[in-house]
Amino acid sequence: MLTSEERQIYRRHLQLPEIGDEGQLRLKNARVLVVGAGGLGCPILQYLAAAGVGHLGIVDADKVEASNLQRQILYGPADLGHLKAEAAARAVRRINPHIKVEVQTCRATLGNVRKLLENYEVVVDGTDNFPTRYLLNDACVTLNKTLVSGAIYKFEGQVSVFNYQGGPTYRCLFPQPPSADEAPNCDATGVLGVLPGLVGTAQATEVLKVILGIGEVLSGRLWMFDALTFQTRLLKFACRPEQAIIGLDNADPNDYTDFCGTGVNAVSAQELQEQLASAHPPFLLDVREPDEFASGHIPGATLLPLSNLDKGVGSVPRHHPVVVYCRSGRRSAEAIERLQTQYGFSNLLNLDGGILAWDEQAIDV
């Protein structure tokens, strides 16, 4: 039952015939997992908490950086350096102390995704990379969960709902992961600060509709928004039976690698730590931008931004192991492919998960 205090908080919901007491109790009993507490995750978590979704899960391994504050509105300067999942949980509990919040300070991986999702009904994808999108889709297919997906790029955003009541999945819309050249990279290109708020709020709307069983859910439809023109479009797409059956047990594991479409060799954060402690440590190459490097880097690393890669090729050793890293492993994989294909390097390894994985390992230790 709703308490008297909850009835006051959710009064405007209770006045809607489409929701009422029954609908608000559905929200109170619902369990929703939000993967990614960044630009999309912030408004998603805020509105779901305020709406009274009774149990929220947050999955994110990242820490709050100064560049996040432009669009990740759950955080402020006091949160810099703190884990996003934990900072987001504190903010959500302030918004609504009547709900339960569970935090997982890790990345979703093939090894842990089943456990992360198993106790939730609806999964919300607030991530920014294709491997995780395919991983969450396939996990939702395997575990029969609804996936509410959103994506942003520069001034454009899109939202859809996958695997809803037997409807199309993410693979029905995008059967194959993009190649390295096709995959957009918000770290390098930027994004309009308000855009994640608009798209994340649309995702939260779809979650509420799914839980409440009202309205027309964006299943089989892709909502697209252009902030520069304020135009929206709806793209209809059908279920592809051969794609809709792909789950964790029959998908290509390469779809979950940290950079879509590449064939670069990788090293884990733990392996790198062991190598750096050896008698012959590898050369560390950081291909992020100078401001990112200044905010924190692996000790002993040499900075060579991806944007200046061609000019600095001469500084990269050719006859000694080189480990290349960036924030999450995408730009470093691109750098390795360019160095291998254009300049003939054969001694390069990509740090799997980038400095995020390195920092996560430091936390675990």
Side-chain angles (χ1 to χ4, degrees), residues 211-248:
I211 296 171
L212 294 167
I214 61 175
E216 191 175 348
V217 173
L218 282 173
S219 175
R221 298 182 298 155
L222 180 70
W223 176 78
M224 295 177 286
F225 174 73
D226 185 334
L228 292 182
T229 64
F230 230 77
Q231 291 184 331
T232 62
R233 291 188 297 156
L234 275 177
L235 172 68
K236 293 184 178 181
F237 60 97
C239 183
R240 301 186 184 188
E242 74 281 6
Q243 297 296 332
I245 62 171
I246 297 179
L248 295 175

Side-chain angles (χ1 to χ4, degrees), residues 5-299:
E5 186 176 357
E6 287 174 324
R7 295 187 69 84
Q8 287 297 316
I9 294 171
Y10 309 129
R11 181 181 173 188
R12 294 296 186 264
H13 271 181
L14 300 178
Q15 291 173 323
L16 292 170
E18 294 85 353
I19 300 180
D21 282 48
E22 181 181 349
Q24 195 61 50
L25 283 171
R26 286 187 185 180
L27 294 175
K28 183 175 182 177
N29 293 324
R31 301 176 63 88
V32 177
L33 181 68
V34 180
V35 184
L40 293 174
C42 284
I44 293 167
L45 288 166
Q46 284 177 297
Y47 275 106
L48 294 184
V53 173
H55 194 122
L56 286 175
I58 307 174
V59 177
D60 198 303
D62 205 354
K63 293 180 180 179
V64 180
E65 302 174 0
S67 63
N68 300 151
L69 304 184
Q70 162 249 19
R71 66 199 177 281
Q72 299 181 19
I73 55 176
L74 278 181
Y75 315 120
D79 296 309
L80 293 176
H82 291 246
L83 287 165
K84 286 183 181 179
E86 295 180 350
R90 289 193 293 270
V92 164
R93 292 185 182 112
R94 287 194 297 270
I95 292 171
N96 192 342
H98 298 281
I99 68 173
K100 296 179 180 179
V101 184
E102 183 179 358
V103 171
Q104 299 290 342
T105 55
C106 62
R107 294 187 303 149
T109 66
L110 185 57
N112 68 12
V113 70
R114 293 174 191 259
K115 187 172 181 61
L116 289 175
L117 272 60
E118 62 182 359
N119 292 324
Y120 295 90
E121 309 157 32
V122 181
V123 179
V124 193
D125 182 3
T127 64
D128 62 355
N129 64 87
F130 285 98
T132 307
R133 290 171 188 161
Y134 281 93
L135 176 67
L136 293 179
N137 173 81
D138 297 350
C140 285
V141 170
T142 298
L143 301 174
N144 194 26
K145 312 287 185 181
T146 296
L147 176 64
V148 179
S149 177
I152 54 175
Y153 181 65
K154 292 185 177 180
F155 302 97
E156 300 175 355
Q158 59 186 41
V159 175
S160 189
V161 178
F162 301 109
N163 204 46
Y164 175 69
Q165 297 183 348
T169 71
Y170 185 77
R171 288 184 182 271
C172 294
L173 181 60
F174 302 111
Q176 297 294 330
S179 67
D181 293 334
E182 295 170 330
N185 187 341
C186 288
D187 283 345
T189 60
V191 62
L192 182 67
V194 298
L195 182 63
L198 290 160
V199 175
T201 301
Q203 287 180 265
T205 304
E206 290 303 301
V207 172
L208 297 180
K209 287 161 59 181
V210 167
I211 296 171
L212 294 167
I214 61 175
E216 191 175 348
V217 173
L218 282 173
S219 175
R221 298 182 298 155
L222 180 70
W223 176 78
M224 295 177 286
F225 174 73
D226 185 334
L228 292 182
T229 64
F230 230 77
Q231 291 184 331
T232 62
R233 291 188 297 156
L234 275 177
L235 172 68
K236 293 184 178 181
F237 60 97
C239 183
R240 301 186 184 188
E242 74 281 6
Q243 297 296 332
I245 62 171
I246 297 179
L248 295 175
D249 299 323
N250 59 349
D252 183 350
N254 290 324
D255 291 347
Y256 313 139
T257 57
D258 279 322
F259 190 81
C260 298
T262 67
V264 302
N265 294 318
V267 61
S268 70
Q270 182 178 355
E271 291 170 335
L272 176 59
Q273 186 179 52
E274 295 171 356
Q275 292 176 13
L276 291 175
S278 69
H280 303 286
F283 181 88
L284 288 174
L285 186 66
D286 188 322
V287 296
R288 298 176 298 161
E289 294 302 311
D291 61 323
E292 296 176 277
F293 186 84
S295 67
H297 57 271
I298 301 176

